[in-house]
Amino acid sequence: MEIRRRLPSKELPTQNDDVVTAPPPPPRRGSDALPLPLYLTNFFFTFLFAATVYFLLIRWGEKISTSTPLHVVNLSEILSLIGVIASCIYLIGFLGVDFVQSVFLRSSSDDDDGWIPNDDEIDRLVKIESDLTSEEDEEIVKSVIDGATSSYSLETKLGDCKRAAAIRREAVQRMTGKSLTGLPLDGFDYDSILGQCCEMPVGYVQIPVGIAGPLLLDGKEYSVPMATTEGCLVASTNRGCKAIHLSGGAFSFLMKDAMTRAPVVKFPSVRRAARAMFYLQNPANFERLSLIFSKSSRFAWLQSITCSISGRNLYPRFACGTGDAMGMNMVSKGVQNVLEFIKTKFPDMVVIGISGNCCSDKKASAINWIQGRGKHVVCEALIKGEIVRNVLKTTVEDLVELHVLKNLTGSAVAGSLGGFNAHASNIVSAVFIATGQDPAQNVESSHCITQFEAEGDDLHISVSMPCIEVGTVGGGTQLASQSACLNLLGVKGSSDKEKAGSNARQLARIVAGSVLAGELSLMSAIASGQLVKSHMKYNRSSRDIGLSSQVNR
């Protein structure tokens, strides 16, 4: 059922109105009585009240002494009475008594009940701009609101993803009474997300993309796209890129490339679970299991199986190559194939879940930190001492001391897991969003240990990141904006068959290089005492501050 509330106006807007009806103007306040500054208006009415009351008391005292009836008044006394009444209304209204405004200043509308909505109620009451284009769409909206049509089935029934999003958007606005104005609908390819990126869309969120760089990595320059709403982040990473570039660049090394999936299976006894573990980890069985694993994808190949056991429960962790895809889906399919085969060898095995949290996906875990997941990348650079002083505005000694006490000791005191860094997560998240990666995998992808070491007058810096989970095909990478960012980096889509997975591996290297730049710049800002100053300068909206100061006056 459609939710309607009564507006303080003569007529409710109809559902078919094409024009947005503005909310009723706020009721006039006592301080609006004169076109003067507030302090002058207050002084005027306070003086008026005191003067007229004093005058009337003097006049009434004279009448009493001369036995003149009090109801006999002259023009000056009439004007004084009017002044008393006017000043009383203003002063009481200024003190915020709502009933004075509702009695004296309410609308003269015949059907107005005197109710004045607050800001939240106005937001619910204002007619919401409609994106509908036909009466048929209007009927579908009503059907969705009534429950006769499922919102999730609109794309299938209509065959038009953009139209389905517009209808769903309108239904959501009417059911909630909240406007989605400001959330864009037009300018997006809704067909591109059907069945793979987002269900039941009603629009899309805009995130600004900045460019840091050029990042000189392995002898090649990269302009790194970063999608973020945090001020200073891109500028800081850009400064780190500059320092690295002036020092001869950074160098990266890929140590390992293996996505993991670990189901949980249960057996009647510990003995049976142990036998299954030995079977899975027996090198003599690996080739057969590898062929079974790969039958559902020509891009996935099994690398290893390591098992953990807890009572009767077994957690086999499959490590697999996935080419240019991040690969969770293809790995899950391969694991399912192996489990079906193992079931023939161990009929008493019960598959509890395709994921048993020993993978470990989207969660900080020691197994990821130690064994890795996705791409394990180490990146280093030697920053010249003069660059540290002139560009980063600090010294090698201060950076090394800060690193030990912050990144190492401080993180240890906090009991950090994979968090021995300054802010790797900031850079990883920004690059992930810009390039269409899964933002939730920032959790383990941001596992990083940063090292600052003095090397003569220079500074050696490195980052070791064992869990960078990225891909250049599938998921959000095929969206237009994200695809453009991948193209900027030269890693768009799948790589040649001879270099299968090289694009995804290169993207992981770029992520690590960007983290290296971000770590270098932030640590320098902290060491030189510039962190708070820069954030106050670049991460504060003067527009919001100005608005706040006006509101608080």
Side-chain angles (χ1 to χ4, degrees):
M1 172 179 274
E2 184 180 349
I3 301 174
R4 302 292 295 271
R5 291 283 302 275
R6 189 160 180 250
L7 280 168
S9 58
K10 290 187 177 181
E11 187 175 332
L12 283 170
T14 63
Q15 297 289 356
N16 296 322
D17 286 342
D18 292 329
V19 180
V20 178
T21 303
R28 290 180 60 83
R29 305 177 186 275
S31 57
D32 299 328
L34 294 176
L36 297 172
L38 181 60
Y39 74 95
L40 290 179
T41 305
N42 289 342
F43 175 79
F44 174 81
F45 280 101
T46 302
F47 177 79
L48 177 64
F49 176 78
T52 51
V53 168
Y54 177 78
F55 175 77
L56 289 175
L57 289 175
I58 295 296
R59 291 294 299 156
W60 289 343
E62 294 175 353
K63 289 184 178 182
I64 292 173
S65 62
T66 59
S67 300
T68 303
L70 295 178
H71 63 273
V72 177
V73 294
N74 56 27
L75 180 60
S76 61
E77 292 172 341
I78 294 175
L79 294 176
S80 297
L81 288 171
I82 294 175
V84 170
I85 295 172
S87 57
C88 283
I89 293 175
Y90 171 82
L91 293 174
I92 296 175
F94 179 77
L95 294 174
V97 181
D98 290 338
F99 78 91
V100 175
Q101 293 185 350
S102 66
V103 171
F104 292 98
L105 303 176
R106 68 180 179 181
S107 172
S108 59
S109 174
D110 294 334
D111 60 350
D112 192 354
D113 59 3
W115 170 63
I116 301 174
N118 57 33
D119 291 341
D120 290 337
E121 290 169 328
I122 289 176
D123 188 42
R124 291 178 59 86
L125 297 172
V126 175
K127 166 68 173 62
I128 298 170
E129 183 175 6
S130 174
D131 296 293
L132 304 184
T133 59
S134 68
E135 293 184 2
E136 181 184 0
D137 289 353
E138 178 67 31
E139 293 301 320
I140 298 175
V141 169
K142 293 179 180 178
S143 178
V144 172
I145 294 174
D146 293 338
T149 300
S150 299
S151 178
Y152 65 82
S153 66
L154 288 175
E155 282 80 2
T156 302
K157 291 184 177 181
L158 298 176
D160 185 337
C161 294
K162 166 67 182 305
R163 182 184 174 199
I167 290 173
R168 181 181 298 112
R169 177 190 182 100
E170 182 68 16
V172 169
Q173 290 183 131
R174 295 186 190 179
M175 287 189 292
T176 62
K178 296 290 186 180
S179 171
L180 287 175
T181 300
L183 181 69
L185 175 68
D186 297 324
F188 188 82
D189 182 9
Y190 292 92
D191 292 324
S192 66
I193 65 174
L194 181 63
Q196 61 178 347
C197 286
C198 180
E199 299 76 37
M200 297 188 287
V202 295
Y204 59 97
V205 173
Q206 297 169 308
I207 301 178
V209 177
I211 298 296
L215 170 67
L216 182 57
L217 179 66
D218 300 321
K220 186 177 180 179
E221 293 184 346
Y222 296 92
S223 295
V224 183
M226 302 177 66
T228 181
T229 56
E230 179 181 348
C232 293
L233 179 59
V234 178
S236 177
T237 307
N238 188 69
R239 183 176 74 148
C241 290
K242 178 181 178 181
I244 291 172
H245 199 294
L246 293 175
S247 298
F251 300 91
S252 64
F253 305 89
L254 184 76
M255 315 304 293
K256 187 178 179 181
D257 180 7
M259 180 50 63
T260 62
R261 173 60 86 195
V264 52
V265 294
K266 191 172 185 177
F267 295 87
S269 65
V270 173
R271 177 183 299 178
R272 292 292 290 170
R275 287 182 176 178
M277 181 182 74
F278 295 144
Y279 181 88
L280 287 167
Q281 295 185 155
N282 189 341
N285 299 324
F286 181 79
E287 184 175 356
R288 186 175 187 181
L289 295 176
S290 180
L291 291 174
I292 294 171
F293 177 91
S294 302
K295 71 179 184 179
S296 59
S297 173
R298 59 193 177 95
F299 298 104
W301 65 95
L302 185 62
Q303 296 181 5
S304 65
I305 304 175
T306 56
C307 297
S308 299
I309 190 169
S310 176
R312 300 182 298 173
N313 306 307
L314 187 64
Y315 300 83
R317 194 170 190 255
F318 296 77
C320 329
T322 58
D324 284 308
M326 185 273 291
M328 284 303 305
N329 289 334
M330 68 172 70
V331 171
S332 296
K333 291 177 183 177
V335 171
Q336 186 67 47
N337 295 338
V338 174
L339 292 178
E340 291 174 357
F341 171 75
I342 297 298
K343 182 75 173 177
T344 64
K345 299 291 184 179
F346 298 87
D348 52 354
M349 180 185 78
V350 178
V351 178
I352 303 299
I354 191 65
S355 173
N357 270 12
C358 199
C359 313
S360 172
D361 188 37
K362 301 180 177 71
K363 289 168 283 292
S365 65
I367 196 168
N368 284 348
W369 178 236
I370 297 170
Q371 297 186 13
R373 187 171 194 257
K375 278 74 172 168
H376 183 170
V377 181
V378 180
C379 191
E380 68 172 351
L382 184 65
I383 310 300
K384 298 177 182 178
E386 60 182 296
I387 302 300
V388 173
R389 293 187 296 273
N390 298 331
V391 176
L392 301 175
K393 309 300 182 183
T394 184
T395 65
V396 173
E397 293 76 13
D398 288 346
L399 278 173
V400 171
E401 181 181 22
L402 175 64
H403 162 68
V404 171
L405 296 180
K406 171 182 167 63
N407 292 340
L408 302 183
T409 307
S411 295
V413 170
S416 179
L417 179 61
F420 296 89
N421 57 80
H423 72 147
S425 177
N426 253 338
I427 290 85
V428 172
S429 295
V431 177
F432 269 32
I433 295 172
T435 58
Q437 311 305 311
D438 187 341
Q441 289 184 320
N442 164 67
V443 175
E444 62 268 37
S445 295
S446 296
H447 280 350
C448 172
I449 182 168
T450 301
Q451 294 284 1
F452 285 80
E453 299 174 273
E455 189 167 313
D457 294 332
D458 301 332
L459 173 72
H460 183 275
I461 176 175
S462 66
V463 292
S464 300
M465 305 181 69
C467 310
I468 302 179
E469 300 169 359
V470 294
T472 58
V473 297
T477 64
Q478 50 82 39
L479 299 178
S481 300
Q482 290 81 343
S483 180
C485 291
L486 289 171
N487 186 60
L488 176 66
L489 294 171
V491 295
K492 175 183 175 181
S494 58
S495 50
D496 298 335
K497 292 182 180 180
E498 294 77 14
K499 300 179 180 179
S502 61
N503 279 352
R505 290 191 288 270
Q506 186 59 35
L507 177 58
R509 292 171 182 263
I510 294 171
V511 170
S514 302
V515 169
L516 186 76
E519 291 286 280
L520 178 61
S521 183
L522 177 62
M523 290 291 288
S524 299
I526 296 175
S528 62
Q530 296 297 309
L531 178 65
V532 175
K533 182 179 179 180
S534 62
H535 272 268
M536 292 299 293
K537 182 177 180 181
Y538 297 109
N539 200 21
R540 294 289 294 265
S541 172
S542 59
R543 178 172 56 188
D544 291 343
I545 294 174
L547 177 61
S548 176
S549 63
Q550 291 176 11
V551 171
N552 292 329
R553 286 179 182 175

